[in-house]
Amino acid sequence: MTAPPEPQGGVDRRASSSPTTPPRSVWLARWLWIAAALLGLGSTLVRLSDREMLIGELRRVNPELSQQEVDAAANGGIMFALLFMAGLALLYVFFGNRMARGANWARVLVMVCCGLYVCGRLFAWFTISMARSVLDPRLMPDMAIGPLTVLFTTVIAALNIAVFVLLLRGDSRRFFAGPGVRHPG
């Protein structure tokens, strides 16, 4: 059994074994990020709970399907959406936890995802509002433009903006550039 290497010059240059605690802004960003994931999962559950609306959308898109095919498509779509959103929520928790432990790559990934979500929602709202003014309202799916969907996406976008801002604060930047984080070279 070998002993650990001796520190050079009496100073241990290895990273400390005790984890550094994240500042309040990183801690809050982590929980807001996870809350946004849970709200997204809740939004999906609310939309999928209206089975009649889903079957109506399937009938509208493809009226020649039999009732058995419509039921199978609705069941398959519900199962896929639930599994996808559960997996996505787990990824949000994983990235949030890695970020809170000081992983700068997770911070960057979270910030990019926040920016993409907000920009995507703004683009979608702009596109839907333009489509509403040009297209017949009967051609717009109810799932895309319902008031509950707008409420959920607005709250999630606000949470993402808050996460983005919190991760840009000075104490957050110092945490990710602090002594507990290893830099290449």
Side-chain angles (χ1 to χ4, degrees):
M1 189 159 224
T2 61
E6 290 291 322
Q8 298 173 348
V11 177
D12 189 358
R13 299 201 187 280
R14 294 175 287 165
S16 68
S17 61
S18 64
T20 59
T21 57
R24 181 167 169 73
S25 60
V26 174
W27 180 85
L28 186 58
R30 171 187 175 218
W31 287 110
L32 291 177
W33 171 253
I34 292 172
L38 294 176
L39 274 175
L41 184 60
S43 170
T44 301
L45 289 173
V46 167
R47 281 187 278 160
L48 294 178
S49 67
D50 189 1
R51 186 175 172 81
E52 294 304 316
M53 189 266 310
L54 290 173
I55 289 176
E57 286 294 320
L58 286 169
R59 287 248 180 250
R60 188 182 67 80
V61 170
N62 202 348
E64 64 269 357
L65 290 177
S66 70
Q67 185 60 39
Q68 186 177 9
E69 291 170 325
V70 168
D71 288 338
N75 290 340
I78 289 170
M79 184 59 70
F80 177 78
L82 289 176
L83 289 175
F84 180 78
M85 286 307 294
L88 194 60
L90 288 175
L91 276 175
Y92 268 61
V93 170
F94 173 75
F95 292 136
N97 288 338
R98 294 296 298 194
M99 178 185 65
R101 289 188 191 128
N104 193 43
W105 64 266
R107 172 186 174 236
V108 170
L109 183 84
V110 166
M111 290 175 66
V112 167
C113 288
C114 287
L116 287 175
Y117 184 87
V118 171
C119 290
R121 290 302 106 198
L122 290 174
F123 180 74
W125 288 335
F126 175 73
T127 305
I128 289 172
S129 68
M130 293 301 291
R132 275 184 158 173
S133 65
V134 175
L135 296 175
D136 183 11
R138 292 175 290 161
L139 296 175
M140 298 295 292
D142 291 335
M143 292 177 70
I145 55 175
L148 199 55
T149 302
V150 172
L151 176 68
F152 271 114
T153 56
T154 302
V155 171
I156 293 170
L159 289 173
N160 280 307
I161 290 170
V163 168
F164 192 88
V165 169
L166 285 168
L167 292 177
L168 286 178
R169 290 187 47 158
D171 56 344
S172 296
R173 288 189 313 222
R174 283 188 297 277
F175 172 70
F176 289 104
V181 179
R182 293 187 176 226
H183 298 283

